[in-house]
Amino acid sequence: MLLIRNAITTMIDETHESAADLALADGVVVSAAIAATSEGDETDVLDASGCVVTPGLVNAHHHLLQSAFRTLPGTRGVAMSDWLPTMAAAYGRVGIDPELARAAARVGVAEGLLSGVTTVADHHLTWPAGSDDVGIARATASAAAELGGRLVFVRGSARDDPEEAALSAERIVSALVPQGEAGISNDGMLQLAVGPAGVHSDSEETFRLLAEVARRHGLRRRTQANEQVDVAIALEKYGRRPLDLLDEWGWLAPDVTIAHLCAVTPEEIARLASAGVTATHAPGCDLPMGWGIAPVAALRQAGIAVGLGTSGGGSNDAGHLLADARLAMQVAPLVGRPLAAREVLAMASEGSATGLGRDELGHLRHGAAADVCVWDVSGVADAGVADPLAGLLWASPGRRPKHVVVGGRVVVRDYELVGRDQRDLASDLTALLASRTA
């Protein structure tokens, strides 16, 4: 058992908090009564004095491979039509294979854990012809497992051959979670999903065939839509808006999560809500790429569950979800009503988990997965803060958690990875990139 004691406050969900100690046993949150009868010599205690405790954050939209391709010349302040070939050329120079996938994922997952992300959804879109698809997926999963983080691996597609994309998704499911229910491993640490990049890059056939894979295996579906560029391409190519196409192609449904959704009309928001679609807000990507700001308040008001994601290093050079939560809160008044800090924290935890179909993640109610962040708020950056939960976002931009627990196991203690040196992970990736571009 793990006891987290003496916290200033513990965030249970968007509207509830408590100053009670938190007990974790057998990988889940347990009640105080159970803790009182179970505490013994094998109990580990984390002292949370001066700290706020929250659920582990859930990064609902990332591209972990791009952790190896940050701040590339020609990728900032440029149109998507220039950004895509620049990124593709960089992928080609380095070569995408399991070795690179593992090195990049280790860096991306570690960066997430060190900033409070206990679950990350990796929308992997880069599959060179003849690449070892199962090897890439397995390498990414092994990187997350090595560090103790939860992974949702999305077999994505970006202009891939539709039939090959579907066959690849089948191979990955068979290899990684052959006995898992709904594409989730028995221990809950790995989940598989499918997801075309969007109507701007993938055909109706790709969406149809990947949907068939999802139905056979009970997988979640994920895609991207209504960035400004997505709307422009869909209108030019089909004479339709992206959500019209997704509706026609069967991709407006409760098992679908759509990232970005910057340029949506009130009528489209009502359609999304009626279909039961969930959404992922990615302001740390959308703003620098010039795609706009998703109307999060309007989406939530319509009853749409909204999560939060960072997207990848090609568009957002940091994988720091709490920093992007702060950004989401700050820019919200530009497109609607202001968002409260608790709302955005809930988006970054339970909102994201809802889009993954994981009702055990993102909260600290009895029976929840034991994924926890302990944030020290006793320093000068938090001095004078009246509301320590709100202060997690308003004060100390870029803050990191003191301790992080995943499935009841401490994976970050005193700001450092347990059993791994982050500097080694960084140097390994740097050396690999240097060897391939020399």
Side-chain angles (χ1 to χ4, degrees):
M1 175 178 291
L2 177 65
L3 292 180
I4 301 176
R5 286 184 160 161
N6 306 318
I8 294 173
T9 189
T10 298
M11 178 184 171
I12 307 300
D13 56 31
E14 185 176 334
T15 57
H16 297 89
E17 58 194 78
S18 169
D21 295 342
L22 188 68
L24 314 174
D26 298 323
V28 299
V29 176
V30 298
S31 70
I34 294 174
T37 60
S38 303
E39 186 175 351
D41 294 338
E42 296 183 5
T43 299
D44 187 12
V45 176
L46 279 180
D47 183 10
S49 299
C51 298
V52 169
V53 175
T54 70
L57 305 182
V58 180
N59 188 341
H61 186 66
H62 203 332
H63 306 290
L64 287 174
L65 181 69
Q66 292 179 11
S67 300
F69 301 94
R70 301 194 256 204
T71 68
L72 292 181
T75 63
R76 293 295 170 267
V78 300
M80 189 72 163
S81 58
D82 296 321
W83 182 88
L84 284 171
T86 300
M87 292 296 294
Y91 296 150
R93 285 193 299 272
V94 174
I96 308 303
D97 60 10
E99 183 182 27
L100 180 68
R102 179 174 180 270
R106 290 171 83 205
V107 164
V109 172
E111 180 184 16
L113 289 171
L114 288 165
S115 57
V117 172
T118 53
T119 301
V120 59
D122 176 27
H123 197 170
H124 190 100
L125 297 172
T126 308
W127 305 94
S131 62
D132 179 1
D133 54 353
V134 171
I136 288 172
R138 197 190 303 277
T140 306
S142 70
E146 173 187 340
L147 296 165
R150 297 186 195 269
L151 175 73
V152 181
F153 186 82
V154 186
R155 201 305 179 182
S157 170
R159 300 180 180 85
D160 296 355
D161 175 79
E163 291 189 356
E164 177 52 34
L167 289 172
S168 172
E170 288 280 1
R171 288 193 293 268
I172 290 170
V173 172
S174 297
L176 271 65
V177 288
Q179 307 301 324
E181 182 178 348
I184 303 172
S185 62
N186 293 332
D187 62 3
M189 297 298 291
L190 175 64
Q191 179 178 356
L192 300 181
V194 295
V199 301
H200 60 277
S201 67
D202 293 291
S203 67
E204 179 180 4
E205 185 181 9
T206 300
F207 279 85
R208 177 177 58 80
L209 292 177
L210 285 178
E212 290 176 3
V213 175
R215 277 193 295 272
R216 278 194 292 274
H217 299 284
L219 309 182
R220 301 288 297 185
R221 294 183 285 165
R222 309 179 70 80
T223 191
Q224 306 171 121
N226 284 59
E227 314 101 313
Q228 290 176 350
V229 64
D230 183 63
V231 174
I233 293 174
L235 288 171
E236 179 182 352
K237 188 173 181 179
Y238 298 98
R240 313 275 297 284
R241 288 177 63 83
L243 295 184
D244 295 328
L245 295 167
L246 290 178
D247 195 3
E248 182 179 301
W249 297 351
W251 276 67
L252 293 190
D255 65 320
V256 174
T257 298
I258 302 177
H260 303 298
L261 292 175
C262 300
V264 287
T265 67
E267 293 76 18
E268 288 174 330
I269 291 174
R271 184 193 297 185
L272 292 168
S274 177
V277 169
T278 55
T280 302
H281 185 31
C285 162
D286 296 336
L287 269 72
M289 293 297 289
W291 291 341
I293 306 169
V296 172
L299 292 167
R300 285 171 55 85
Q301 179 64 32
I304 297 169
V306 182
L308 196 69
T310 60
S311 198
S315 58
N316 178 2
D317 296 305
H320 196 305
L321 192 66
L322 195 73
D324 283 5
R326 186 177 194 269
L327 177 62
M329 183 178 64
Q330 291 178 310
V331 301
L334 298 177
V335 292
R337 70 162 175 82
L339 297 173
R342 282 169 175 75
E343 286 183 272
V344 183
L345 283 169
M347 286 166 50
S349 49
E350 194 162 14
S352 292
T354 297
L356 298 173
R358 302 291 295 275
D359 59 9
E360 81 278 22
L361 302 180
H363 63 91
L364 296 176
R365 299 184 291 275
H366 178 72
D371 297 358
V372 181
C373 293
V374 179
W375 310 85
D376 190 340
V377 296
S378 64
V380 293
D382 292 286
V385 168
D387 180 348
L389 265 174
L392 288 181
L393 295 191
W394 284 114
S396 189
R399 75 165 73 236
R400 289 170 48 190
K402 183 176 183 179
H403 310 302
V404 178
V405 180
V406 182
R409 172 191 169 201
V410 180
V411 296
V412 173
R413 189 184 293 266
D414 294 324
Y415 302 101
E416 292 292 343
L417 297 169
V418 173
R420 296 290 184 277
D421 188 326
Q422 62 169 306
R423 288 155 285 273
D424 291 341
L425 304 180
S427 63
D428 288 349
L429 177 59
T430 299
L432 178 60
L433 294 171
S435 70
R436 295 190 177 194
T437 55

